[in-house]
Amino acid sequence: SAATHHGACTGASCPVTGVTGRINQAPLFTTAGHDSVLLSNFGNFGTATVSAWVYRTESTPARETIVSYKEDQTCGFVLAINDDGANQHPVFFARVDNGGSGAWQEAEFAEAVPLNTWVHLAGVYDGQKVRLYRNGQEVASTDAPGVLHQCTGNTAIGSRSSQELHF
């Protein structure tokens, strides 16, 4: 990238590239292969937006992490599906500090992300609310005034930054 944040593949293999995507081409992450891409620390910031086109080919009983920013350090944010291990709902979590105390805040949409269908998901933390968007429409929000809790750590695409809970 222009900011010199180059990713490194982890897992059984790198995600397969060149797969037909929603627009142009996309990587294919597999749960069985524990595929993910790690990016170095982006630094600190108080608000964030993350989005991804998602095409699920199978259901799993575990959480499917799409993007995790420093999540293994109890800070940052995560965009995922199926956090409860049973439903295929999209969710966006952000670790928010408000007056010296921090807590995970979430916005979850109770409608499953279907298989074999392109869906655009976005999570936003704007300093006031944690918001989740699906196909351009806000579908969930939670009041959460404050700033993102800061620490150092990696960002992962396709798993938690601790290399667990793969997409």
Side-chain angles (χ1 to χ4, degrees):
S1 73
T4 67
H5 291 285
H6 301 285
C9 295
T10 64
S13 62
C14 288
V16 175
T17 58
V19 176
T20 301
R22 170 71 174 86
I23 299 171
N24 295 323
Q25 299 192 1
L28 174 63
F29 293 87
T30 64
T31 302
H34 296 282
D35 301 333
S36 64
V37 175
L38 284 180
L39 302 167
S40 63
N41 185 12
F42 282 102
N44 295 328
F45 43 89
T47 61
T49 299
V50 61
S51 69
W53 281 100
V54 177
Y55 188 90
R56 298 176 59 242
T57 59
E58 62 183 340
S59 293
T60 67
R63 183 178 90 184
E64 300 172 58
T65 305
I66 301 166
V67 177
S68 171
Y69 175 70
K70 302 182 184 182
E71 179 190 10
D72 63 328
Q73 301 293 324
T74 64
C75 63
F77 58 80
V78 62
L79 180 62
I81 297 172
N82 197 31
D83 189 59
D84 65 4
N87 298 301
Q88 307 300 311
H89 302 163
V91 62
F92 179 65
F93 293 96
R95 179 75 180 206
V96 176
D97 278 346
N98 182 345
S101 64
W104 285 103
Q105 303 293 329
E106 71 177 73
E108 182 174 13
F109 185 46
E111 185 177 313
V113 174
L115 297 179
N116 304 313
T117 302
W118 283 104
V119 175
H120 187 258
L121 298 175
V124 175
Y125 178 65
D126 62 9
Q128 295 300 313
K129 291 186 176 209
V130 174
R131 302 173 193 268
L132 178 67
Y133 293 82
R134 181 174 168 163
N135 293 328
Q137 301 295 313
E138 184 178 318
V139 294
S141 69
T142 299
D143 289 336
V147 296
L148 288 174
H149 182 76
Q150 303 300 317
C151 65
T152 59
N154 292 323
T155 297
I157 301 170
S159 74
R160 285 183 70 173
S161 45
S162 62
Q163 295 299 283
E164 302 169 303
L165 303 173
H166 291 81
F167 185 77

